Amino acid sequence: MTAKEPRTGAKKKKPAARQAQSNTGAKSEKRTARPATKTKKRARPDKKAGSPATGNGGTAVDQLLFALRSHPRQQDFISAGKQKDQLVRSLIPLYLARSLDAELEVTSGTTSRFWGELGVTYAAPNAAKALRLHGGYAQDTQKGKAITARGVQYVEEMLSRFGNASSGT
């Protein structure tokens, strides 16, 4: 007789405090006071309206592509960039920027977009990591990274390897 019978379908009553809160609508106010968990994505700027690196026209990627196309060893650069050596991929845009007269800002994003234009997939974090792991090939400047003498030597050695391989066939 003291055992409780299982309830079927009977609802449990709310405690008095929660019942009063739900009646006053305080719960709904609390819910609207919280910021939304999902935020809208920021609008991306058009690719054509990219930030120009210098005032003399074109984006940094455009200037690097112009420097590549005007270089006599253009095919060697592209062949070297298609190899799995991430250091070379990161240094080639810095090497080309060195030949330009303007102070050109070369970042890991610029390097990634440069190789993307040439059909080589190269993520920006990989470009930054390669330069970070191999110290002495590039140095930080106010305008991003700049290639050092050691980096120039490394790129030229790689170009000579690909120059000899392409002329031998």
Side-chain angles (χ1 to χ4, degrees), residues 1-10:
M1 298 207 176
T2 59
K4 292 184 180 178
E5 293 180 25
R7 293 185 193 180
T8 55

Side-chain angles (χ1 to χ4, degrees), residues 7 11-24 27:
R7 293 185 193 180
K11 288 189 176 180
K12 199 176 189 183
K13 287 191 175 185
K14 292 182 182 178
R18 290 196 75 191
Q19 201 170 23
Q21 186 182 27
S22 65
N23 290 341
T24 61
K27 189 174 185 180

Side-chain angles (χ1 to χ4, degrees), residues 77-103:
F77 280 115
I78 294 171
S79 297
K82 289 183 178 179
Q83 301 304 310
K84 291 192 177 200
D85 187 351
Q86 292 188 347
L87 181 59
V88 159
R89 286 186 192 174
S90 297
L91 289 174
I92 286 175
L94 298 174
Y95 185 91
L96 293 170
R98 179 183 67 106
S99 67
L100 297 172
D101 295 333
E103 288 292 321

Side-chain angles (χ1 to χ4, degrees), residues 94-115:
L94 298 174
Y95 185 91
L96 293 170
R98 179 183 67 106
S99 67
L100 297 172
D101 295 333
E103 288 292 321
L104 185 64
E105 181 180 3
V106 179
T107 62
S108 57
T110 306
T111 302
S112 175
R113 288 188 299 275
F114 170 78
W115 287 114

